[in-house]
Amino acid sequence: MSYLTKFLSSSLLLSLLFISTKAANFEIRNNCPYTVWAAASPGGGRRLDRGQTWNLNVPAGTAMARIWGRTNCNFDGSGQGRCQTGDCTGGLVCRGWGVPPNTLAEYALNQFGNLDFYDISLVDGFNIPIEFSPTSGGGSGKCQALLCTADINGQCPNQLRAPGGCNNPCTVFKTNEYCCTNGQGSCGPTTFSRFFKDRCPTSYSYPQDDPSSTFTCPGGTNYRVVFCPRGSPHFPLEMVGEKSVE
């Protein structure tokens, strides 16, 4: 083996080792007074009773990823069933994205400049208050804790109300005004998007709400997603009494 080949092989190995250290850990915690069936794409799903956590390791370079919570679920012994909000293909272990309304923690790891891009999105509506925050590598500037803890379900406009949550107007009306389907610059803030933005200023309120809603951390940062973080509104008691068979 030539010196150059050895050098390139060693460099490649070191690069792979370096990249592998950049895999991110996501600590997903349920602080709600009711069970949440956490879901992740990629990652699957898991039942989380109050105070329980799920640690998810995500490979470097993962993009178009999301974490969300499902409520009022019923699953049988084989893990098949349905959820009132956030349901994904009728299974405990998700193999796709959830059905709105669901509050989303979205991310893409080790992208341009080896930065992680992350956000809280209400583009699919809202069902559970959420925190999405770095636990290493940041804490200030564009690498900071994000919160959406307003009582959006309780204050939801009548046109957007849904069982267990609050729909985004795109889900309800399916027009470019709310969905931005005609491309960049074809839509802007609306009365409905301002309802979400006023209550969760750092969250996506419509698809092109990028400037105030996208955040970055150095690649290799670890994160925490909390359902019902401290300061979240109280929920009706009927949500506490959910039942599930697993």
Side-chain angles (χ1 to χ4, degrees):
M1 182 182 292
S2 69
Y3 173 80
L4 179 59
T5 303
K6 289 181 180 179
F7 174 79
L8 291 174
S9 298
S10 299
S11 298
L12 177 59
L13 178 60
L14 287 172
S15 297
L16 290 172
L17 288 172
F18 175 78
I19 292 172
S20 69
T21 64
K22 295 300 182 182
N25 176 263
F26 288 78
E27 178 190 316
I28 305 167
R29 180 179 180 85
N30 178 26
N31 280 352
C32 298
Y34 50 87
T35 299
V36 171
W37 286 261
S41 176
R46 183 169 298 187
R47 173 180 173 145
L48 295 179
D49 293 323
R50 185 176 189 176
Q52 289 186 323
T53 60
W54 174 26
N55 282 288
L56 186 65
N57 290 311
V58 180
T62 298
M64 294 184 65
R66 55 179 57 183
I67 295 168
W68 69 99
R70 296 169 287 174
T71 60
N72 286 321
C73 299
N74 254 299
F75 295 109
D76 61 24
S78 66
Q80 297 302 304
R82 290 291 179 184
C83 300
Q84 184 181 51
T85 65
D87 187 74
C88 54
T89 63
L92 172 63
V93 178
C94 291
R95 292 180 173 82
W97 291 359
V99 177
N102 52 341
T103 320
L104 299 175
E106 301 180 313
Y107 63 92
L109 303 178
N110 309 92
Q111 301 298 301
F112 179 77
N114 196 36
L115 291 174
D116 296 344
F117 290 77
Y118 70 106
D119 64 79
I120 291 176
S121 176
L122 306 180
V123 171
D124 277 2
F126 178 98
N127 64 336
I128 305 173
I130 198 171
E131 172 192 339
F132 191 8
S133 59
T135 59
S136 66
S140 61
K142 293 295 283 184
C143 184
Q144 60 179 275
L146 307 180
L147 291 166
C148 183
T149 60
D151 184 17
I152 289 180
N153 289 344
Q155 301 171 9
C156 186
N158 288 333
Q159 302 97 311
L160 306 182
R161 287 188 178 273
C166 183
N167 276 317
N168 186 278
C170 176
T171 303
V172 176
F173 301 109
K174 299 179 175 60
T175 62
N176 179 71
E177 179 183 8
Y178 302 113
C179 302
C180 307
T181 48
N182 292 344
Q184 189 64 34
S186 66
C187 64
T190 64
T191 300
F192 286 132
S193 73
R194 291 188 186 96
F195 163 79
F196 291 103
K197 198 68 172 178
D198 288 347
R199 288 155 181 79
C200 294
T202 59
S203 300
Y204 268 87
S205 59
Y206 70 100
Q208 294 182 15
D209 191 13
D210 302 88
S212 62
S213 308
T214 300
F215 295 81
T216 57
C217 285
T221 298
N222 296 320
Y223 298 90
R224 177 186 298 117
V225 175
V226 182
F227 302 119
C228 300
R230 183 176 298 178
S232 302
H234 294 289
F235 285 82
L237 290 176
E238 57 264 25
M239 293 197 73
V240 183
E242 301 163 335
K243 296 181 179 178
S244 173
V245 177
E246 294 184 33

